[in-house]
Amino acid sequence: MNWLAELRQVEAWVQREVQAEERLTAALSNHRDELASAAAAAIQAGSEALAELARGREGRLSELRQLFERIGRAVGVRGSTLSLGSLVERAGPEGERLARLRGELLRAHQAGRKALLDALAIGRAQGQVLRAVLVELLGVDPLTEPERAAGRFVEVRA
Amino acid sequence: MSFQGISTGLKALIAAQSSLDTIGNNLANINTPGYSRQRVELVQALGIERNGVRIGTGVDALTITRAIDNLLESRILTQLGVRAQLAERYAAAQEIEFALGEFDGTGVGQSMDSFFAAAKQLAGDPADGILRSNLVQGGIQLGQRFNQVYGQLEAVGGSVEDALRTSVAEANALAEQIAELNRQIRTLEPGGDPANQLRDQRQVAVQALANLAQVEVREDPDGTYRVYVEGNLVVAADRAMRLTTSDQPEGGLALRLEGSAYDLTPRSGKIAALLALQDQDITDLTGGLDQLAKGLIHAVNSAHSTGIPSGGGFTSLVASNALVDLDGNGQLEDQLLADSGLPFDLTAGELTINVVDEESGEQWSQQIAIDPATTTVGEFLSALGAVPGIGASLNAENQLSIVAEAGLRFDFSNRLDPDPDGAGTLSGGKAKLGSALAGPYNLSAGGSLDFAVPAGGPTNLSVAFPIGSFPDAGEVSAQQLADFLNADAGFSGAGLEAHAVGGYLQLASAGAGSSQSFSLTGGGAAAALGLSGKVGQTAVGSDDPVEISISGAFTGAVGKELVFKVAGAGTVGTTPGLGLQVFDSAGALVATLDIGAGYQPGTPLAVIDGIEVAVSLGELSAADDGRFAVEARADSDSADVLVAFGLNGFFVGSDAQTIAVRPDLAADPDLIAASWTGTSGGNQALLALGEIETQELALLDGRTLGSSYGELIGGLGFDLATMELSLDTADQVLGSLQQRRDSVSGVNADEELVDLTRFQQAYATAAQYLSVVTRLQDELLSIL
């Protein structure tokens, strides 16, 4: 096996990603609360925190894809066809650690996925309710028709 | 979704629902008075620990609070009171201004102008019946205007009392309402829910109370308010103390807490304004109006009461003011004039009463000295009764009644004696000699005067002047000497008489005609008495005597005695240089009248100050030092008796409420006393009446009627302008405070909508980021 060094790098990557996923899960959980709070500033701050985490994941995925390319060349396949599961199978006994780490990452991802869905559901619901209220009050959707909505506040008050 | 996820979502939805409800409530109450903007206080729910990671559990809507600034609310309460006080006083001042009617030409000022204009017009033609009626109508209108304005001010005062009672009842109702809201708030809030709506209602009630009086509020820990009105606890928890009104002894209402012995003096609010109106503004105005009416009545009646109606003097007069038995002993005669309940003060002075015999034209006058501090009513009545031909008494209504005997008329004018030389000391047919010196005379050396009086043959007569005959022989007055001589039996028995004229001793025969004569033959006292030049001179009477008559009316400001003396000798109207010299009381020559060649005998010649003298044809000589005197009085009622009693006044009454034209005069304008002389066309009283308009009157503290009234009106105008300015300022301050309150507590639709939009935008942004995260999560899943 001439790609053992790359395998160890993938294991290290998965270990970092498990921690990153847990941070993302926590951030999503907080953001879900922020979305429920109807506090615009907090929502904005939470969104920016998520964006930072997303940018970190983009970098890490790029790094993983490079590792997969190198391993693919070593085993004679295209890197894009590889996954953590296929590496575990190809590595045999050497892949046991990666298999365990992959399991951790899978669980972390599931937790993160739940948090993400919660946040999405709440955010979507809140946004729709507010949008409906605004359309009702202003007679125009300020998001889709900002030009028509301009000055509507004054008219509504009058 | 897990149970935790459902719980989190539910909390979020509840919180979001609360926020939206609150925003909706704020928008719905945008125009609700006293509504304070509400905010949902959101707190992050406690998270749970899972796999070493702290996971949030959502958000809790902790409480909905009112956005309120207590300091600002307190300042608004204060300013509300200030504003309400100014607004109430301003409204009342406008009502008073309308009542005075000065700005629509129906006020007292205009009526006074018309009245005095009518008096001046009548003075130009005192006999004109239409002008007389015009003056009477002017007086009636003026009196009625005073009565109406006074009545309207009293009505304003009455409505102030009503408003005061209503405001106090309103304050009590508000205090009860605050106490009830306190009770409800105290019951609700321990359950965890802030009673925002009740608190807003309570704040509205407190503000309404602050409109009525100065209010301070303190909040107790249990959420109840303690409310103080003018520093007095009126609401404590669920108990309210009542404010009450009580009648003041001097009139009006006083404010106090029920059960308290002390009056409250509000500093601000409508009640403070009403009390100030009652105790100060209206009282000052009615007082000022009363004083003005009193000054007018006094001045007009002073001028009128000494006048004489066109029909001549009075046969009887009844005073319009009644005496009051102030000491309550059932007797009026024993009371001092100063303490007899008369509406106008008397002063120490004299009253002149003139009596005229209608048939003979004979006139006599008498001065009654009065000192109100020592003269009793009885003494005054006696003095009046002592005037020949006059009777005085009190009628059943305790009013002074003066009656002349049949054929006589009386008046109180300062008319001049038309026959000032009745004693014949200058003119007339008597034999006469006068002293060249004015008294007092120094008879400390005693001496005598010796006369020769032919009575069928010369009769020698000597009158001695023993030193002890006079209180001070070194200072013997002409009157003392005259009295002494007339008391001498020999002197009077010889057909002689003595007079004091202008301080000079004048001697004359008792009878008139050319048969009358006497000579001063000597005597030790002749030099001391200024008669040494007359020793040896024989005075002879005349069968064709000169007659002197006085006419006109004295218009001088100060009374004086004028002494007339012949200059030169000769025939009146013929002899060049024959004159009549006139001296004042100090002996100064004030006029020399030419009665010689060119003078038409009997023609009145102007002397000074409205006095005229006419001299008939005849012989006059300065050699006998004959003199006569004319007493000119500026005020024939210097004691103000006529005004005080209300005798021959134009007005009756004594203040703005009671002033009216004398009823009999209102019915018969001929009773207007236009003249001081009783002659047809006399207008002196009317002229004096017309001048009152510009006179500075003692009763008005030295101000004229116009300036006094102007001050009354001007003060009101100034107050109105000041109040209007203050009200504007108070409005601005209150507006500014309420604007600040709105920025803290008020609902701003824009703000609420902007909030909503901001949330919406935040959710939209969050959705975008969440979709990125979703994509990345999917990507991660694809490589797992």
Side-chain angles (χ1 to χ4, degrees):
Chain A
M1 194 172 123
N2 58 354
W3 47 278
L4 189 60
E6 281 79 9
L7 179 64
R8 297 295 171 242
Q9 286 179 33
V10 171
E11 286 171 356
W13 183 92
V14 173
Q15 199 164 19
R16 288 200 306 273
E17 195 57 29
V18 168
Q19 292 169 355
E21 187 65 20
E22 285 173 351
R23 286 198 298 275
L24 179 64
T25 301
L28 283 167
S29 184
N30 287 336
H31 194 47
R32 178 192 57 201
D33 296 344
E34 288 158 2
L35 289 168
S37 72
I43 294 170
Q44 194 68 32
S47 295
E48 285 168 6
L50 280 179
E52 186 62 33
L53 290 172
R55 275 193 292 275
R57 169 156 289 175
E58 291 271 20
R60 287 193 306 277
L61 285 173
S62 173
E63 186 186 331
L64 183 64
R65 276 193 288 271
Q66 286 174 10
L67 279 173
F68 277 6
E69 285 299 325
R70 288 210 298 272
I71 293 170
R73 279 195 296 275
V75 298
V77 297
R78 283 167 47 197
S80 60
T81 62
L82 294 175
S83 69
L84 292 178
S86 67
L87 286 184
V88 168
E89 286 180 11
R90 284 176 189 275
E94 290 291 340
E96 281 182 13
R97 188 161 181 267
L98 179 60
R100 184 172 51 79
L101 287 170
R102 177 178 171 268
E104 285 181 23
L105 182 56
L106 197 59
R107 283 192 294 276
H109 177 267
Q110 284 172 344
R113 184 78 181 175
K114 284 178 183 171
L116 175 62
L117 291 174
D118 283 355
L120 275 171
I122 290 170
R124 202 170 288 129
Q126 296 279 55
Q128 283 171 355
V129 170
L130 286 174
R131 193 170 177 178
V133 170
L134 277 172
V135 170
E136 185 66 27
L137 287 170
L138 302 178
V140 59
D141 188 339
L143 294 180
T144 59
E145 297 177 281
E147 296 83 7
R148 284 189 61 210
R152 285 280 171 158
F153 295 154
V154 176
E155 292 170 22
V156 167
R157 195 179 174 190
Chain B
M1 188 179 282
S2 65
F3 177 76
Q4 182 57 43
I6 292 170
S7 170
T8 303
L10 186 60
K11 284 181 180 177
L13 283 172
I14 291 169
Q17 187 63 47
S18 296
S19 293
L20 287 173
D21 284 351
T22 305
I23 289 172
N25 193 41
N26 284 343
L27 286 169
N29 285 288
I30 193 163
N31 292 319
T32 304
Y35 179 78
S36 301
R37 183 173 58 183
Q38 297 181 358
R39 279 279 173 263
V40 179
E41 300 290 332
L42 296 168
V43 292
Q44 193 171 345
L46 287 175
I48 58 169
E49 189 89 11
R50 183 178 291 167
N51 298 328
V53 176
R54 188 86 192 169
I55 298 175
T57 57
V59 64
D60 285 332
L62 182 66
T63 183
I64 298 173
T65 58
R66 294 155 72 232
I68 191 163
D69 180 335
N70 287 328
L71 183 61
L72 195 55
E73 294 292 337
S74 165
R75 287 193 59 196
I76 287 173
L77 289 184
T78 305
Q79 196 58 28
L80 278 172
V82 170
R83 200 257 171 214
Q85 184 182 15
L86 284 168
E88 189 65 27
R89 287 190 77 178
Y90 181 61
Q94 282 182 311
E95 199 177 338
I96 290 166
E97 185 185 44
F98 178 74
L100 290 171
E102 279 309 311
F103 304 103
D104 58 6
T106 60
V108 167
Q110 279 88 350
S111 298
M112 278 201 294
D113 291 345
S114 302
F115 173 74
F116 286 114
K120 288 171 186 170
Q121 208 175 359
L122 179 60
D125 187 0
D128 189 307
I130 293 174
L131 294 180
R132 280 179 173 265
S133 293
N134 197 34
L135 177 60
V136 168
Q137 286 308 312
I140 290 172
Q141 198 175 37
L142 177 56
Q144 286 176 343
R145 195 64 199 132
F146 265 110
N147 304 156
Q148 284 165 0
V149 172
Y150 189 89
Q152 281 165 332
L153 287 177
E154 277 208 322
V156 173
S159 67
V160 164
E161 276 197 18
D162 292 343
L164 202 48
R165 286 195 178 91
T166 307
S167 297
V168 169
E170 197 181 334
N172 285 331
L174 287 167
E176 295 281 355
Q177 188 185 349
I178 294 167
E180 172 57 20
L181 288 164
N182 269 348
R183 188 189 65 74
Q184 294 177 24
I185 289 166
R186 190 172 60 181
T187 306
L188 279 178
E189 292 198 339
D193 296 323
N196 289 333
Q197 196 179 350
L198 296 176
R199 281 175 173 265
D200 279 347
Q201 287 177 17
R202 185 175 63 182
Q203 194 63 24
V204 169
V206 168
Q207 287 187 355
L209 189 58
N211 271 312
L212 297 171
Q214 192 268 339
V215 167
E216 284 176 56
V217 171
R218 290 178 201 156
E219 185 170 348
D220 282 330
D222 61 358
T224 60
Y225 270 1
R226 270 182 291 153
V227 180
Y228 296 83
V229 170
E230 305 298 340
N232 293 271
L233 187 62
V234 168
V235 178
D238 57 359
R239 287 181 53 226
M241 272 59 87
R242 290 183 63 79
L243 294 167
T244 61
T245 54
S246 59
D247 292 323
Q248 295 185 96
E250 63 274 21
L253 297 174
L255 179 71
R256 61 176 60 174
L257 270 177
E258 197 168 66
S260 167
Y262 302 101
D263 291 343
L264 292 177
T265 308
R267 288 168 289 173
S268 66
K270 186 178 175 183
I271 292 176
L274 291 169
L275 284 171
L277 275 166
Q278 172 196 268
D279 296 339
Q280 188 185 331
D281 298 346
I282 294 173
T283 307
D284 285 355
L285 271 172
T286 50
L289 204 64
D290 270 343
Q291 198 58 32
L292 185 71
K294 191 165 189 171
L296 175 76
I297 295 166
H298 185 275
V300 169
N301 284 359
S302 287
H304 189 268
S305 58
T306 53
I308 304 168
S310 54
F314 314 101
T315 54
S316 68
L317 265 185
V318 176
S320 58
N321 300 324
L323 295 163
V324 182
D325 182 14
L326 288 180
D327 58 13
N329 66 355
Q331 297 289 321
L332 289 168
E333 284 80 355
D334 62 338
Q335 291 184 164
L336 293 173
L337 286 174
D339 301 324
S340 294
L342 293 169
F344 294 94
D345 290 339
L346 291 95
T347 55
E350 287 184 338
L351 170 68
T352 299
I353 180 164
N354 310 299
V355 186
V356 179
D357 186 318
E358 286 186 281
E359 193 174 322
S360 68
E362 187 187 357
Q363 173 191 320
W364 58 95
S365 300
Q366 192 157 324
Q367 282 76 49
I368 299 172
I370 292 159
D371 181 351
T374 57
T375 306
T376 65
V377 173
E379 287 167 346
F380 178 56
L381 288 173
S382 300
L384 278 172
V387 177
I390 294 297
S393 61
L394 296 178
N395 65 15
E397 284 76 41
N398 294 334
Q399 294 161 316
L400 174 63
S401 172
I402 304 175
V403 181
E405 290 173 6
L408 302 180
R409 286 183 180 266
F410 64 95
D411 64 70
F412 308 100
S413 73
N414 62 351
R415 65 163 73 194
L416 299 162
D417 185 351
D419 180 19
D421 194 21
T425 51
L426 183 143
S427 60
K430 293 180 178 176
K432 49 201 167 282
L433 281 176
S435 170
L437 295 176
Y441 304 103
N442 184 355
L443 289 177
S444 54
S448 63
L449 283 178
D450 301 333
F451 299 94
V453 185
T459 299
N460 293 325
L461 170 70
S462 181
V463 181
F465 301 105
I467 297 173
S469 304
F470 306 101
D472 181 359
E475 292 276 333
V476 181
S477 70
Q479 189 62 54
Q480 285 173 320
L481 267 176
D483 292 344
F484 180 85
L485 286 167
N486 289 331
D488 187 279
F491 183 77
S492 57
L496 296 178
E497 56 188 24
H499 300 275
V501 177
Y504 291 84
L505 177 66
Q506 302 288 146
L507 304 172
S509 60
S514 57
S515 60
Q516 300 292 316
S517 69
F518 69 92
S519 302
L520 184 64
T521 55
L529 296 176
L531 291 168
S532 53
K534 306 293 185 303
V535 174
Q537 187 175 328
T538 299
V540 181
S542 171
D543 293 326
D544 189 16
V546 169
E547 289 179 1
I548 303 277
S549 61
I550 291 288
S551 59
F554 180 58
T555 56
V558 179
K560 58 188 70 170
E561 185 182 47
L562 296 175
V563 177
F564 292 72
K565 184 176 182 298
V566 174
T571 306
V572 174
T574 302
T575 307
L578 183 64
L580 203 55
Q581 293 176 316
V582 187
F583 301 85
D584 65 14
S585 312
L589 181 68
V590 294
T592 300
L593 308 172
D594 187 352
I595 55 171
Y599 171 68
Q600 182 67 39
T603 306
L605 294 171
V607 185
I608 54 168
D609 295 333
I611 300 173
E612 295 173 336
V613 63
V615 184
S616 69
L617 188 62
E619 302 287 327
L620 286 174
S621 172
D624 54 15
D625 274 329
R627 297 178 181 83
F628 72 89
V630 172
E631 189 175 358
R633 283 180 293 274
D635 184 0
S636 53
D637 180 22
S638 59
D640 281 345
V641 173
L642 302 176
V643 175
F645 277 89
L647 283 163
N648 191 32
F650 186 92
F651 288 116
V652 294
S654 59
D655 53 30
Q657 195 178 10
T658 56
I659 181 174
V661 172
R662 204 176 87 208
D664 57 335
L665 190 147
D668 180 7
D670 282 342
L671 291 178
I672 291 174
S675 162
W676 283 344
T677 60
T679 55
S680 174
N683 64 354
Q684 300 83 2
L686 290 172
L687 289 173
L689 204 153
E691 285 171 5
I692 290 168
E693 193 175 19
T694 53
Q695 278 173 359
E696 293 169 346
L697 305 176
L699 269 180
L700 300 179
D701 296 327
R703 289 168 297 178
T704 63
L705 286 165
S707 66
S708 181
Y709 186 62
E711 232 168 80
L712 200 68
I713 300 298
L716 181 69
F718 176 74
D719 286 350
L720 265 177
T722 306
M723 276 189 264
E724 191 171 10
L725 196 64
S726 302
L727 190 56
D728 279 349
T729 307
D731 277 339
Q732 284 172 15
V733 172
L734 187 59
S736 164
L737 288 171
Q738 283 175 332
Q739 212 168 17
R740 285 173 56 192
R741 182 192 186 278
D742 284 348
S743 72
V744 175
S745 305
V747 178
N748 183 317
D750 290 354
E751 200 178 315
E752 301 295 331
L753 291 169
V754 166
D755 277 354
L756 285 172
T757 309
R758 195 176 293 131
F759 296 153
Q760 171 66 11
Q761 286 168 342
Y763 286 127
T765 306
Q768 287 173 1
Y769 285 121
L770 286 172
S771 69
V772 171
V773 172
T774 304
R775 180 177 56 76
L776 291 172
Q777 287 290 76
D778 288 345
E779 202 170 332
L780 180 61
L781 185 62
S782 70
I783 64 169
L784 277 173

